[in-house]
Amino acid sequence: MSELPFIFKISKISIVHKHPIVHGDLTPLNVLIDDDERAVLTDFGLSVILGGFTNLSVTYTDAKIGGALAWAAPELFPDHQADSKGPNPSPSSDVYSFACLMYLIFTGSRLWPDITGLNTMMRAKTGRRPSNPGTIDTRYWSLIEQCWAELPSSRPKISDVLAAVVRYLNDDGQKY
């Protein structure tokens, strides 16, 4: 659990969501650690400004075929129709991606390390998620599962996720 504290200084995500901005591409490659061991978000290339910009659109699989699919919420993938596009990234899709980051931190592995590309997308779209490998504390595992909820509206807000993490860390004697 020594890796845990630095990544959960990722309060920048909460700050981003206080403004009408969604990151849209929350992956390990887009989270850097600064000299103060604080997470800093980078690469806002798929970010969406919420409200007032109805013509903005993202085709997630066109833009991000490859490793980033492993971190994307299932609702971001288009349906099977050739002209269908998934919805734009949302605060809820960032929460899903954050849970994938939490899984990586606790296990050292992404959700499906042996599967790539469209197979990853199909697992996410059909609601498949890994089970707890036994190395993740039940409090954190419960939080990860909440963030992986099938319905985006059922996922907690990132501010609630971060508050829970801080509470768990404080309960464990780590002050944050």
Side-chain angles (χ1 to χ4, degrees):
M1 197 155 97
S2 62
E3 301 92 345
L4 183 65
F6 81 82
I7 198 68
F8 287 111
K9 293 180 182 176
I10 243 181
S11 59
K12 304 279 189 205
I13 297 170
S14 184
I15 292 169
V16 166
H17 286 181
K18 286 182 183 178
H19 302 284
I21 298 172
V22 172
H23 189 275
D25 192 20
L26 194 55
T27 70
L29 294 176
N30 295 335
V31 180
L32 304 177
I33 307 303
D34 70 13
D35 291 339
D36 295 324
E37 295 186 343
R38 294 188 186 273
V40 179
L41 298 180
T42 64
D43 189 2
F44 283 79
L46 285 182
S47 296
V48 174
I49 301 170
L50 303 175
F53 294 94
T54 56
N55 292 330
L56 292 180
S57 180
V58 173
T59 303
Y60 201 82
T61 54
D62 287 349
K64 302 304 281 185
I65 291 273
L69 290 176
W71 312 98
E75 67 271 10
L76 295 179
F77 303 125
D79 291 328
H80 297 294
Q81 297 92 356
D83 62 346
S84 177
K85 293 184 179 187
N88 286 326
S90 68
S92 294
S93 63
D94 276 357
V95 167
Y96 179 97
S97 297
F98 186 75
C100 294
L101 287 172
M102 287 174 49
Y103 185 87
L104 171 70
I105 291 163
F106 284 111
T107 65
S109 175
R110 66 184 190 147
L111 270 60
W112 311 111
D114 55 334
I115 296 176
T116 59
L118 298 178
N119 290 325
T120 299
M121 181 176 81
M122 292 311 299
R123 283 194 181 204
K125 283 198 70 77
T126 59
R128 294 177 64 190
R129 310 288 185 270
S131 57
N132 187 342
T135 58
I136 303 175
D137 180 288
T138 56
R139 297 169 300 171
Y140 293 105
W141 184 252
S142 175
L143 191 59
I144 288 170
E145 289 185 313
Q146 290 171 45
C147 295
W148 279 343
E150 193 67 28
L151 291 174
S153 61
S154 297
R155 296 178 197 143
K157 293 180 180 179
I158 194 66
S159 58
D160 295 335
V161 172
L162 295 173
V165 168
V166 168
R167 188 172 57 253
Y168 301 156
L169 290 170
N170 287 336
D171 288 349
D172 292 342
Q174 300 181 44
K175 298 296 176 194
Y176 287 92

